Amino acid sequence: MQGYQELLDNHRPIPLDRAQAGKHEESKTFLAAADADHLSEHDTDALLSSGNWIAYPVGATEETVTQDPEAGTQTTVTKETSSVAAEKTSTETVPLAARTHSGYLSQTYWLNAADGRHFAYFQMRQNYSYNGRAVTAYEPPILNHKVYTWAELAGWSFEGLDLSGSRGPSYYSWHGNGHGAIQTWRRANFKYDPTHLDIGSIHRYPWLHFYQHADGTEYSTSGM
């Protein structure tokens, strides 16, 4: 019989009872997240006994990449959030090769499972050009998504974009110019449905909202 660590390393379900679950950091994380989400005792026990608790969602890792051509820098901000731990943020800034009047904002939103790994991601990149007073051009956003194979086997799937959370790119006023900035917003729908368990479906809706200005400055908000 495979041991706990071997199953964990190979992304395999790990059936546990409550007593066993209290002995491992990953399963204790699941129990804490299930409690924070007010998951019923029936559903919690069903996930434990099936071993599919390893894929239960507990938080996210967000990576935002911004370019500031005027300053000649590219900045990457990584933020990790969890329903059971304090938020962690790190920032790295590196020089750009050259200054231009075009740039992009890119963000990747990873969804994290109880076993400590990413189980899926949603990503958006928005390219645009500007002249200091107005945004002169922009492209449709580039969207990417993925559910990792082990998580698909556990019951996760990408259900497409949530149309109520899909807007832009569109202009908005900045420094008195109606074309001074653009904003773009997209929201994805991921579903967890281990069909052999009587727990129903669990959804996660990560969203990304970009704001990009005619002077090359930009920022984003995100959530789930």
Side-chain angles (χ1 to χ4, degrees):
M1 179 179 177
Q2 290 180 303
Y4 178 92
Q5 192 60 49
E6 186 178 358
L7 291 170
L8 185 69
D9 292 343
N10 288 284
H11 309 285
R12 301 293 301 277
I14 308 175
L16 299 173
D17 58 30
R18 288 270 182 165
Q20 293 169 322
K23 299 177 180 179
H24 305 282
E25 288 304 314
E26 296 84 5
S27 50
K28 287 192 288 186
T29 295
F30 160 68
L31 290 174
D35 182 64
D37 291 342
H38 305 292
L39 198 67
S40 71
E41 185 173 331
H42 169 273
D43 291 355
T44 300
D45 287 339
L47 284 167
L48 280 173
S49 62
S50 72
N52 281 333
W53 62 266
I54 65 169
Y56 189 80
V58 300
T61 302
E62 306 165 50
E63 183 180 87
T64 306
V65 180
T66 60
Q67 290 187 336
D68 186 344
E70 295 304 313
T73 58
Q74 176 173 294
T75 300
T76 302
V77 177
T78 303
K79 180 173 68 173
E80 185 172 345
T81 57
S82 170
S83 59
V84 296
E87 181 179 302
K88 300 177 182 178
T89 302
S90 62
T91 302
E92 180 184 22
T93 300
V94 297
L96 285 174
R99 298 188 180 189
T100 66
H101 283 285
S102 62
Y104 70 87
L105 178 57
S106 176
Q107 185 165 353
T108 304
Y109 198 109
W110 282 281
L111 287 80
N112 299 336
D115 71 351
R117 286 175 278 237
H118 305 319
F119 65 82
Y121 70 78
F122 179 52
Q123 183 182 71
M124 181 166 73
R125 170 173 168 149
Q126 181 64 59
N127 298 321
Y128 73 124
S129 300
Y130 54 89
N131 62 13
R133 192 182 68 87
V135 173
T136 56
Y138 59 80
E139 301 173 2
I142 301 170
L143 302 172
N144 290 298
H145 61 82
K146 183 178 180 65
V147 176
Y148 294 103
T149 301
W150 72 270
E152 288 182 329
L153 294 174
W156 279 103
S157 61
F158 176 71
E159 298 296 300
L161 292 177
D162 176 14
L163 297 182
S164 67
S166 296
R167 304 174 189 171
S170 58
Y171 289 109
Y172 68 96
S173 183
W174 181 79
H175 285 194
N177 189 324
H179 283 194
I182 58 170
Q183 59 179 324
T184 310
W185 183 20
R186 294 291 187 276
R187 183 164 65 174
N189 178 7
F190 292 90
K191 182 175 74 171
Y192 182 46
D193 188 14
T195 54
H196 58 290
L197 298 182
D198 181 26
I199 67 169
S201 297
I202 296 172
H203 289 259
R204 290 295 184 266
Y205 301 94
W207 54 266
L208 306 172
H209 197 164
F210 290 0
Y211 303 85
Q212 296 165 280
H213 305 138
D215 65 349
T217 60
E218 53 201 2
Y219 69 95
S220 68
T221 59
S222 57
M224 185 163 59

